[in-house]
Amino acid sequence: MSDNAQVVGSYSAAEQSDNVTSNPCVMLIFGASGDLTKRLLVPALYNLACDGLLSKNFAILGIALDEMTTEQYRERMNNDIKKFHTRQQFDQKVWDDLISRFHYMSGGFSDMKVFETLKKKVSELNGQYQAQGNVLFYFAVAPRFFGLLCENLQKSGFRDGPGWKRIIVEKPFGTDLASALKLNEDILKHWQEDQIYRVDHYLGKETVQNLLTFRFSNGMFEPLWNKNYIDNIQFNVCEAVDVEGRGGYYDQSGVLRDMMQNHMFQMLAYLCMEVPGSFSSDAIRNEKAKLLQAVRAYTPEEVERFVVRGQYGPNVDDAGKVLKPGYRQEKDVNPESKTETYAAARFHIDNWRWEGVPIYLRSGKALWKRGTEIVVTFKKAPEVMFRGTPVEHIGANRLIFHIQPYQGIEIQFQAKIPGPLLKIQPVHMRFGYGDAFKASRYTGYEVMIYSCSLGDGTLFSRGDLVEAAWRVAQPLMDYWKAAPADFPNYARNSWGPKAAAELIKRDGRNWHEVVTEEVLKKVELFKDGDLLFLSQLIMALKARQTAAGETVIQKGELGKEMYLIARGEVEVLDDAGKVLKTLKDGDLFGEIALLMSTPRTATVRSKSSCDLFVLEKADFNRILRDNPQFADGVCKIARERYDLKLNASELTATKG
Ligand code: BG6
């Protein structure tokens, strides 16, 4: 089963049975022997077939430079699908039927003779499969071929005849504003805008699609969706992976082009656009385009003030040994590269609804966790009401869209702590996709192919949208090109450069960190926990802020909780007050207290102001009681790692 599948994306086949299948067509894949085809397109077609969503009148014709017969191509796909399919079980019968519809021919994209043969072949397949003259062209090739393919397809008469003709174009769509404008011009010389489907695979994610459904099918949120009630919005796309051998591509790109200008701006448009007149593709895309056009294009002074960039350095152990290379040492990366692998920015949407509401975006590679979240923070309730009570501070309400890897929606609010005193604590309600829907893993490309075949462009970007996004990104690229960067400026596995925290602190705010299952899995104690166990732990985490110099743990005190550092640094001190170790973002301490209520063995002090997540022993024990299958495993780890002898019943005892 493939690791590429990131998206919980389909209902079970039984629930799909009322749905219409894709339209009949011949799908012509350019770049059929490439990575995208085998990793994503073919597994997506297979998923559609498994869910009964693929028309019976459907055939695939692959074309690429590699010399191969159709039989050899099918053989190759037979092997690849075993590696890259995303389902729990492989359905050989469905696959056999699907692969029998695959055909292949080799040829170069500039040779008109190849296009003549293609035309003939497509028309044969059209007759054989009764595809009604419909042809879906998929450009799974480098962008430099897009214009050429459009021209040659049109010249060889592919636009003519009955049935629809549609083109799916992969990203990146341009590398800057000028190249995107030129590409649009080249394509639209030969084809019409409504025939062009520009892929942004984030739009294929169920959790991204749900942003619109959530906003417009629930009456309680839209009235609050504006500057009067919302304090700020944060878009966070953290990646734990580095450039993963794609240095050649990435060094020409950077996070702004790779993630922000496309994926993040698409999410921004969904979250902040005006209410469309209908769910029709153009009504939605018109509003998205208007929103992106309202995002302020920065002057150089504004870029300097509102945007931060970063590049990761190596991972070095305490003895100075390089464990993992920094970005500049990655394969195919210029050793003096100025390319940013991290960016954080505050944007302004200059329209009536959002005037003055900070919109923060941050994304980067080689960070301490993978997690995409959108955090909508509402304005706080007035604290004045609580004068004369023990309540000193009220937190803000938050609505969090967990896009991936955890997929869900969460609302954070305040509740009274049970007891005679009026004390309040932030709590939350969570909806998880995995709990509510019987879902199988999708690649995200299924919905793209499916909706394109039905002529629905909603999930694709439009020329004006792409241009509007480049208009916002261009001043950042111009400024960065001109101004030297002090790289590398963040360590692998960290939260990114310090300047990013300072950027938002200047506004009196913090990045809202979301702990994910992945983060907890890095902790020895929790690494074998299943999703339910881990999500219960996450819900039990409480936020605590400490000031520089404050003692967090005092040696000799009875430990009742452990800590996870969200931001900041703490020092572990010996009896004489000498610093033994410094712990920072992402590190844990005090975990022995979760296992035993024994006195602390060292003092821990905040070196800087810190944001900490606290997990209390009572909560931990309660969660273990609910998930007794993990108690034995935890005891084993306690024995092996900490030399602590305890048994499961002690751990789950109610006294806490
Ligand atoms: C791609 C980028 O578009 O998106 C990659 O080129 C990035 O660099 C990827 O890792 C992230 O996608 P996802 O679906 O894993 O969030």
Side-chain angles (χ1 to χ4, degrees):
M1 193 164 96
S2 162
D3 281 341
N4 285 322
Q6 310 128 351
V7 179
V8 170
S10 79
Y11 301 102
S12 65
E15 286 156 337
Q16 296 273 20
S17 60
D18 292 342
N19 292 340
V20 279
T21 62
S22 64
N23 258 338
C25 73
V26 175
M27 180 170 170
L28 186 43
I29 305 180
F30 291 91
S33 62
D35 235 40
L36 180 79
T37 304
K38 72 175 181 205
R39 283 175 187 273
L40 295 163
L41 297 185
V42 176
L45 289 168
Y46 167 68
N47 279 336
L48 286 174
C50 286
D51 287 347
L53 290 172
L54 204 58
S55 166
K56 294 277 167 233
N57 305 99
F58 176 81
I60 292 132
L61 175 57
I63 171 162
L65 277 179
D66 304 50
E67 292 284 348
M68 254 185 293
T69 62
T70 287
E71 280 61 41
Q72 286 165 330
Y73 185 67
R74 287 181 184 170
E75 199 42 46
R76 207 196 252 205
M77 290 297 130
N78 276 333
N79 293 330
D80 289 336
I81 192 69
K82 302 276 160 51
K83 249 201 324 241
F84 297 118
H85 81 88
T86 62
R87 304 181 88 84
Q88 293 293 345
Q89 254 121 39
F90 187 69
D91 190 331
Q92 191 65 44
K93 214 164 127 225
V94 171
W95 172 251
D96 286 345
D97 175 60
L98 181 65
I99 193 69
S100 73
R101 299 151 185 269
F102 275 63
H103 303 264
Y104 181 82
M105 66 172 268
S106 54
F109 304 152
S110 51
D111 185 349
M112 281 318 286
K113 284 221 177 71
V114 168
F115 283 80
E116 277 161 34
T117 320
L118 260 186
K119 184 95 194 344
K120 257 208 247 129
K121 194 91 192 116
V122 167
S123 127
E124 273 166 36
L125 292 174
N126 180 46
Q128 186 183 341
Y129 291 91
Q130 297 173 351
Q132 302 176 8
N134 301 334
V135 189
L136 194 170
F137 306 98
Y138 202 114
F139 291 0
V141 293
R144 65 178 187 281
F145 295 114
F146 295 167
L148 178 73
L149 284 174
C150 282
E151 183 179 346
N152 289 349
L153 284 173
Q154 188 252 314
K155 275 195 190 149
S156 47
F158 267 107
R159 272 188 65 172
D160 313 328
W164 51 255
K165 313 286 182 296
R166 298 180 185 135
I167 300 178
I168 300 187
V169 184
E170 263 298 326
K171 75 153 234 191
F173 201 87
T175 52
D176 56 12
L177 178 59
S179 61
L181 289 170
K182 169 85 172 61
L183 189 52
N184 270 338
E185 196 188 307
D186 288 351
I187 291 178
L188 298 178
K189 237 188 263 166
H190 310 286
W191 298 82
Q192 284 161 9
E193 177 60 48
D194 64 4
Q195 294 179 295
I196 308 299
Y197 291 70
R198 297 172 188 78
V199 168
D200 185 308
H201 80 277
Y202 264 60
L203 296 177
K205 292 182 191 285
E206 278 294 330
T207 42
V208 174
Q209 291 175 51
N210 190 47
L211 292 173
L212 285 192
T213 315
F214 180 90
R215 278 190 62 191
F216 302 133
S217 66
N218 295 299
M220 64 194 275
F221 296 104
E222 200 50 33
L224 306 180
W225 220 247
N226 58 55
K227 62 182 178 190
N228 298 325
Y229 299 99
I230 291 180
D231 178 78
N232 76 93
I233 304 177
Q234 299 183 13
F235 293 79
N236 181 34
V237 182
C238 280
E239 293 196 277
V241 291
D242 54 27
V243 290
E244 297 181 295
R246 294 159 73 220
Y249 151 76
Y250 199 87
D251 213 29
Q252 303 300 315
S253 173
V255 75
L256 180 64
R257 290 182 174 95
D258 190 52
M259 296 298 292
M260 279 195 174
Q261 180 275 340
N262 40 43
H263 309 324
M264 296 188 77
F265 282 6
Q266 292 286 349
M267 291 194 287
L268 167 74
Y270 266 1
L271 201 86
C272 298
M273 70 189 214
E274 293 299 316
V275 186
S278 72
F279 247 75
S280 80
S281 122
D282 271 331
I284 290 175
R285 295 192 297 177
N286 288 345
E287 294 308 335
K288 283 172 77 179
K290 273 199 264 172
L291 188 282
L292 289 179
Q293 283 152 8
V295 177
R296 191 184 306 169
Y298 281 155
T299 61
E301 294 71 34
E302 285 171 318
V303 177
E304 168 75 29
R305 196 164 143 217
F306 295 125
V307 191
V308 161
R309 62 192 145 151
Q311 187 191 77
Y312 63 86
N315 193 2
V316 184
D317 72 7
D318 289 346
K321 190 170 153 233
V322 173
L323 302 174
K324 275 193 168 174
Y327 176 70
R328 289 178 176 180
Q329 290 82 50
E330 299 274 18
K331 188 167 164 279
D332 301 329
V333 169
N334 175 355
E336 289 177 6
S337 174
K338 301 262 187 292
T339 302
E340 82 291 349
T341 60
Y342 178 101
R346 172 184 167 165
F347 286 107
H348 298 79
I349 302 176
D350 289 334
N351 67 13
W352 193 305
R353 186 188 283 260
W354 296 115
E355 191 226 2
V357 179
I359 310 288
Y360 299 103
L361 268 64
R362 65 175 169 154
S363 179
K365 294 233 181 248
L367 299 173
W368 81 310
K369 67 154 191 181
R370 171 175 180 234
T372 300
E373 303 97 20
I374 303 171
V375 183
V376 180
T377 302
F378 291 87
K379 293 195 168 160
K380 284 205 242 176
E383 279 162 5
V384 66
M385 243 218 80
F386 289 86
R387 244 183 341 213
T389 75
V391 176
E392 285 171 3
H393 168 78
I394 301 183
N397 294 128
R398 289 201 178 91
L399 175 62
I400 304 179
F401 297 92
H402 296 271
I403 304 293
Q404 64 181 25
Y406 175 72
Q407 302 183 316
I409 297 176
E410 174 182 346
I411 297 179
Q412 297 186 343
F413 56 100
Q414 322 300 319
K416 179 181 170 296
I417 302 175
L421 288 178
L422 178 56
K423 284 188 175 174
I424 61 174
Q425 179 186 303
V427 291
H428 53 184
M429 295 195 289
R430 255 196 190 203
F431 143 74
Y433 278 72
D435 304 332
F437 301 119
K438 224 188 322 152
S440 58
R441 296 172 89 203
Y442 258 24
T443 65
Y445 277 74
E446 294 76 2
V447 66
M448 301 281 176
I449 298 168
Y450 178 77
S451 49
C452 174
S453 94
L454 297 179
D456 181 355
T458 313
L459 300 182
F460 295 86
S461 203
R462 217 171 47 186
D464 54 346
L465 271 160
V466 176
E467 286 173 21
W470 278 121
R471 265 181 226 286
V472 179
Q474 188 66 48
L476 277 60
M477 297 190 299
D478 292 344
Y479 181 82
W480 288 348
K481 205 166 161 197
D486 192 11
F487 285 162
N489 61 352
Y490 72 97
R492 270 177 179 271
N493 303 336
S494 73
W495 294 78
K498 264 210 160 65
E502 284 154 12
L503 172 87
I504 191 166
K505 267 228 154 72
R506 277 205 310 263
D507 297 345
R509 299 185 177 88
N510 278 321
W511 295 108
H512 182 74
E513 306 298 358
V514 174
V515 181
T516 61
E517 281 82 3
E518 256 185 349
V519 167
L520 286 185
K521 270 183 177 286
K522 288 188 193 156
V523 180
E524 186 79 22
L525 274 182
F526 310 139
K527 75 176 192 323
D528 295 324
D530 67 13
L531 284 188
L532 195 63
F533 175 65
L534 297 176
S535 76
Q536 286 186 14
L537 284 176
I538 288 171
M539 279 191 234
L541 293 175
K542 298 183 175 108
R544 175 171 163 195
Q545 294 187 309
T546 55
E550 188 177 329
T551 300
V552 189
I553 282 179
Q554 181 68 53
K555 184 176 173 185
E557 271 180 2
L558 216 54
K560 281 205 183 306
E561 72 283 314
M562 70 150 231
Y563 297 84
L564 179 60
I565 307 175
R567 181 176 305 105
E569 287 186 344
V570 302
E571 294 170 329
V572 182
L573 309 171
D574 70 6
D575 287 346
K578 201 175 126 224
V579 177
L580 297 173
K581 210 171 9 168
T582 302
L583 303 173
K584 52 183 187 325
D585 302 0
D587 288 336
L588 279 147
F589 58 95
E591 63 266 43
I592 292 178
L594 281 204
L595 304 167
M596 316 279 284
S597 292
T598 50
R600 301 284 193 188
T601 53
T603 296
V604 179
R605 188 176 61 197
S606 281
K607 187 174 173 193
S608 62
S609 69
C610 288
D611 295 337
L612 303 172
F613 290 109
V614 186
L615 178 59
E616 289 176 357
K617 184 173 168 61
D619 286 325
F620 181 57
N621 291 10
R622 172 181 51 78
I623 293 165
L624 276 183
R625 275 199 300 280
D626 292 348
N627 300 271
Q629 69 275 28
F630 292 107
D632 285 337
V634 167
C635 290
K636 188 163 163 264
I637 291 164
R639 207 166 37 246
E640 286 167 2
R641 182 159 171 201
Y642 304 107
D643 201 23
L644 300 174
K645 291 186 191 57
L646 72 174
N647 58 44
S649 58
E650 281 174 78
L651 264 184
T652 53
T654 26
K655 50 187 159 57

